[in-house]
Amino acid sequence: MESCWLEGEGQEEEEDMEEDWSAPVDGREAQDQHHSPALARSTVSFSSPDGPSVASDGASSASSSSAEGTGIMTRMELNTFKAGMEGLDKEKINKIIMEASKGSRFYENELRKEKQMAGRISAMMDRLASITPQQQQEALLQVDKMVEDLVEGRDLSRTIVHLDMDAFYAAVEMRDNPALRDKPMAVGGIGMLSTSNYLARKYGVRAAMPGFIGKKLCPDLVIVPTNFDKYRTVSSQVRDVLRQYDPYFAPMSLDEAYMDLTEYLELRKSLPEEERTFYAHTEECFMSKENAAVDNQKKEDMLGETQASVKVPELSVNSTTNIDDEDGSLEKSKVTPCHDDNVSSPCCGTEELPETCEQIAKDVKEKEKPEGHDCETMGCEKVVFGCDAEEVVREIRFRIQQRTYLTASAGIAPNMMLAKVCSDQNKPNGQFYIPSDCEAIMDFIKDLPVRKVCGIGKVMAQQLNALGITTCTHLYEQRAVLSLLFSPISSSHLLRVALGLGATRIERESERKSMSVERTFSELSKPSELYRKCWELCEALAKDLQDEGLKGRTVTIKLKTVNFEVKQRGQTVPRAVSSMNEIYDVAEELLKMEIQQCQPQPLRLRLMGSSAKRRKQEKPPTKTTTLDRFFL
DNA sequence: GGCCGAAGGACCC
DNA sequence: CTCCAGGGTCCTTCGGCG
């Protein structure tokens, strides 16, 4: 239960979600003038009052606000950036997506948002044009001071891993139903797909795509309903493995997690070979294996498939003996106190400290072995893993695969931001390592598309794009301008990205801040129906809250009109609430106001939600009477 | 000016 | 022929208030 919040049904890994932003900018072109397009532009625009024309040029290329036509609707197209997109007909796919969407209310709303975005960008370009060279100089000076601090505070002492299950939900379904293995399939419903297998991706079917469009792209697409209980089970098996390498690992969803291997790697150095030895189980092994729960039919089929992929992740198991001790000698990265990165101490939680890593490791290793099974005599392939980070991660992936028959990808780097990007690098069933030295980091960062960075989404990417920024190098080159155009928080985040910096301490699970329930339905507009729906939602929410023993001080309702416009209305109450009645009282009132607001017209909704949020956070951990762990 | 609450979004899975 | 989720977190902007 301590893992509560992470049970939030994750969407699904790498998937880029629907989006796209379909980089209209051709990389090369950007590179040619990437010296500082924005800089040049603003200088030009400054020296010549006409400047804007130059600037607006850049803006319009990034997001033509001209109606219809080709350029617009960049938000609906397919993101070709991600892995597994080789050799597929983007043109054709986008055409199909377009045709399926055109004219729908959804599409109209997207159009609206697109225009709004264009407006924001052009406002930004105007601001850019009004920046004087002096301002820029000053900004640069200031930013470079920050750069200095940031670089000085760089902490290369940690080894962070981001682990990501490959096409998780889809992989689980394929594992359990062999009939699906050679078919393009996706998990979800006709309304929305959570993820798709790699075969389906070839057709352009991706996560966060509505099922009916998936069907259009790939008429043979098999859509399997989600089965979260199953994914949760598998997920916990994976977590069992991860825990042994970092008891404080942080699951981000059912299918991905961050780990800090620093401590473990230290310990690993003195781990005898037998402790690093595993066996690739063969069919016979499985016959007696724990998975007895699975019916035989499935099991057999599973094995057939598994054999093929059971091989050790990545290359040579034998090259493993390279116990690179050279690694321990990197004193160049003097351990700095890393003041910038989050200061949470990973190892201070007094919670259930699961003994030591060694103990856990032994325990679980036993568990992984089929009962009463002796690998030595059963002829299982013996695998010995080395002691460096890459070897350990291979071992982790190997064990995950042995345990779940599913593959995972991983990224290893000195901080979370990089690790996350890395895990995507060799996506299905691969891993990528960035050693802990500045040069390696910068080399990696250099051409990294900003869009790949976690936290830079469609919108930010498009804004940056308008400034001629597509890679992290550009990000650095434009640091002065960025500091002037974006908020301090945003620009410092961008700056850190540009420097290859990221959190080096994995936050201990934090308390949840809100809880919500929302539902999409076919149009409702009669007040009685709306109140009824509201009631149901509040009921569900109250139950969820009570199940976790939580209360909320702010009750909000969320409404989505049939035109996809989203509204939220909230009210904070004097005392935290959790009961059905208390919540509904507030929600009903809020809903009533909305219904009245559009009075003669009916309020036509396609979705309604209800949520309870905790209030800010008390400044000092107020020692208010060991206050119940409620939202205040 | 600073903090808070409300509303709207961006982003992530 | 219809048909685009649901669970979160965090940031930004704005108006009110003391």
Side-chain angles (χ1 to χ4, degrees):
Chain A
M1 79 78 195
E2 47 112 20
S3 56
C4 50
W5 66 271
L6 47 98
E7 303 293 6
E9 351 300 299
Q11 167 92 351
E12 166 55 357
E13 87 258 64
E14 82 261 61
E15 290 2 284
D16 24 310
M17 313 284 75
E18 83 246 66
E19 63 233 340
D20 177 21
W21 67 292
S22 65
V25 175
D26 146 23
R28 230 148 287 83
E29 173 189 43
Q31 206 149 36
D32 288 339
Q33 38 145 261
H34 86 318
H35 246 310
S36 50
L39 221 67
R41 229 175 270 146
S42 78
T43 313
V44 168
S45 60
F46 173 69
S47 48
S48 73
D50 263 357
S53 69
V54 185
S56 66
D57 215 42
S60 69
S61 80
S63 62
S64 65
S65 53
S66 61
E68 309 307 344
T70 49
I72 201 147
M73 278 294 71
T74 59
R75 39 170 53 246
M76 306 206 49
E77 292 168 14
L78 196 70
N79 187 349
T80 51
F81 229 148
K82 296 295 184 150
M85 302 283 296
E86 301 77 34
L88 80 194
D89 192 343
K90 193 190 165 198
E91 291 283 314
K92 190 174 158 199
I93 291 170
N94 281 332
K95 191 167 160 240
I96 295 175
I97 294 177
M98 262 344 200
E99 276 167 11
S101 311
K102 204 93 170 190
S104 66
R105 294 186 208 265
F106 176 81
Y107 176 86
E108 293 304 321
N109 189 250
E110 290 298 296
L111 224 53
R112 204 198 81 220
K113 291 201 265 185
E114 180 93 357
K115 283 209 177 105
Q116 187 183 307
M117 257 244 51
R120 274 178 61 183
I121 288 182
S122 97
M124 181 182 74
M125 298 312 283
D126 287 349
R127 248 179 302 143
L128 172 64
S130 72
I131 295 173
T132 69
Q134 289 92 316
Q135 285 175 313
Q136 237 177 77
Q137 291 268 324
E138 280 169 35
L140 187 60
L141 246 52
Q142 219 168 326
V143 172
D144 280 347
K145 222 171 280 170
M146 291 180 57
V147 171
E148 215 177 301
D149 289 350
L150 288 170
V151 169
E152 188 180 340
R154 191 191 292 272
D155 179 0
L156 294 175
S157 68
R158 298 268 128 195
T159 301
I160 308 291
V161 171
H162 179 256
L163 188 123
D164 196 339
M165 299 297 293
D166 300 320
F168 189 47
Y169 300 168
V172 172
E173 297 302 336
M174 286 166 74
R175 180 194 74 175
D176 295 349
N177 181 358
L180 296 173
R181 292 187 193 153
D182 54 353
K183 296 192 178 71
M185 60 86 68
V187 177
I190 199 67
M192 186 58 65
L193 304 178
S194 284
T195 191
S196 56
N197 68 5
Y198 282 83
L199 210 49
R201 291 182 196 189
K202 288 221 161 64
Y203 294 85
V205 179
R206 317 299 305 263
M209 173 179 279
F212 71 93
I213 289 185
K215 279 281 196 187
K216 288 214 162 101
L217 288 170
C218 172
D220 294 333
L221 183 69
V222 179
I223 298 180
V224 180
T226 50
N227 186 344
F228 282 109
D229 287 339
K230 195 153 70 174
Y231 312 146
R232 260 189 285 273
T233 304
V234 179
S235 186
S236 85
Q237 294 176 339
V238 173
R239 290 173 191 184
D240 281 346
V241 174
L242 304 190
R243 218 183 320 273
Q244 301 163 67
Y245 299 84
D246 175 13
Y248 303 106
F249 78 107
M252 302 306 290
S253 66
L254 291 181
D255 78 305
E256 70 179 71
Y258 286 97
M259 279 179 284
D260 184 339
L261 287 190
T262 317
E263 269 79 40
Y264 177 82
L265 286 171
E266 205 49 47
L267 194 151
R268 178 89 172 186
K269 287 182 192 162
S270 51
L271 211 56
E273 178 168 317
E274 65 198 80
E275 305 274 331
R276 313 188 315 261
T277 303
F278 295 85
Y279 292 90
H281 300 300
T282 58
E283 289 188 39
E284 301 91 77
C285 310
F286 289 126
M287 289 319 178
S288 59
K289 192 135 165 104
E290 52 173 62
N291 287 43
V294 196
D295 45 306
N296 283 327
Q297 176 63 50
K298 278 184 187 165
K299 205 186 325 185
E300 278 172 28
D301 292 320
M302 183 186 329
L303 293 174
E305 165 85 3
T306 311
Q307 282 316 333
S309 49
V310 103
K311 66 179 176 75
V312 184
E314 236 115 81
L315 53 112
S316 64
V317 180
N318 303 333
S319 72
T320 56
T321 32
N322 58 345
I323 306 173
D324 52 315
D325 27 15
E326 86 248 14
D327 205 20
S329 63
L330 53 111
E331 79 223 40
K332 57 181 135 185
S333 62
K334 58 171 182 154
V335 186
T336 30
C338 103
H339 52 74
D340 77 347
D341 298 321
N342 30 354
V343 242
S344 78
S345 46
C347 297
C348 298
T350 45
E351 265 87 302
E352 23 57 56
L353 287 210
E355 313 101 72
T356 64
C357 285
E358 299 108 301
Q359 285 174 284
I360 308 173
K362 273 191 188 136
D363 286 354
V364 180
K365 209 170 161 188
E366 273 313 302
K367 244 201 282 183
E368 278 172 25
K369 230 165 47 176
E371 189 135 358
H373 167 82
D374 181 4
C375 290
E376 301 274 12
T377 62
M378 295 297 281
C380 300
E381 189 191 353
K382 182 175 168 184
V383 188
V384 181
F385 292 92
C387 292
D388 65 2
E390 290 180 276
E391 279 294 308
V392 169
V393 171
R394 263 181 214 117
E395 175 181 300
I396 293 172
R397 294 199 297 122
F398 173 79
R399 293 178 63 185
I400 288 173
Q401 186 170 2
Q402 287 288 302
R403 183 88 186 271
T404 68
Y405 315 112
L406 301 171
T407 63
S409 296
I412 312 160
N415 67 53
M416 294 172 77
M417 182 250 126
L418 292 171
K420 167 87 177 163
V421 178
C422 285
S423 68
D424 205 53
Q425 210 71 9
N426 283 325
K427 197 65 200 63
N429 198 13
Q431 63 185 61
F432 190 90
Y433 173 59
I434 299 181
S436 292
D437 78 76
C438 265
E439 213 173 310
I441 293 174
M442 287 317 168
D443 202 55
F444 179 80
I445 277 296
K446 190 162 49 109
D447 298 314
L448 182 68
V450 292
R451 187 55 230 274
K452 290 228 176 198
V453 177
C454 188
I456 299 185
K458 196 170 14 185
V459 172
M460 177 60 84
Q462 222 174 107
Q463 298 187 81
L464 294 175
N465 220 339
L467 298 170
I469 298 170
T470 55
T471 69
C472 291
T473 297
H474 302 161
L475 219 43
Y476 182 72
E477 292 168 344
Q478 303 293 354
R479 60 195 182 288
V481 165
L482 291 174
S483 76
L484 292 167
L485 293 179
F486 292 93
S487 73
I489 289 180
S490 298
S491 57
S492 78
H493 173 244
L494 293 174
L495 187 59
R496 298 187 42 143
V497 170
L499 296 170
L501 291 166
T504 54
R505 306 290 168 152
I506 299 175
E507 281 249 33
R508 203 75 174 84
E509 206 171 290
S510 57
E511 268 192 74
R512 103 160 40 233
K513 301 191 170 63
S514 72
M515 192 176 263
S516 66
V517 177
E518 70 187 54
R519 228 38 86 196
T520 294
F521 38 75
S522 47
E523 176 169 350
L524 291 182
S525 59
K526 290 217 289 279
S528 63
E529 295 171 333
L530 295 175
Y531 288 121
R532 168 82 196 149
K533 183 61 73 179
C534 184
W535 172 274
E536 291 169 11
L537 290 163
C538 290
E539 188 176 37
L541 178 61
K543 181 178 181 309
D544 288 352
L545 284 169
Q546 283 158 25
D547 282 354
E548 294 214 21
L550 296 173
K551 295 190 174 191
R553 279 232 18 221
T554 302
V555 174
T556 70
I557 61 170
K558 174 176 171 179
L559 309 173
K560 178 144 57 168
T561 70
V562 290
N563 292 319
F564 289 88
E565 281 167 317
V566 177
K567 287 182 217 188
Q568 282 178 92
R569 296 295 176 258
Q571 189 184 329
T572 72
V573 294
R575 291 200 51 79
V577 295
S578 70
S579 80
M580 160 80 215
N581 287 330
E582 293 168 312
I583 294 173
Y584 182 70
D585 281 351
V586 181
E588 179 190 34
E589 194 58 32
L590 293 166
L591 176 57
K592 189 161 98 187
M593 290 196 292
E594 283 315 299
I595 292 177
Q596 284 169 354
Q597 178 116 43
C598 51
Q599 251 319 266
Q601 315 300 329
L603 180 59
R604 307 173 58 199
L605 300 183
R606 76 181 328 272
L607 169 147
M608 194 185 292
S610 169
S611 79
K613 298 185 206 305
R614 169 168 61 174
R615 202 176 39 161
K616 276 274 86 160
Q617 176 72 118
E618 240 64 353
K619 280 321 91 40
T622 44
K623 60 291 196 101
T624 24
T625 61
T626 52
L627 68 162
D628 354 33
R629 45 189 303 282
F630 291 169
F631 302 157
L632 282 184

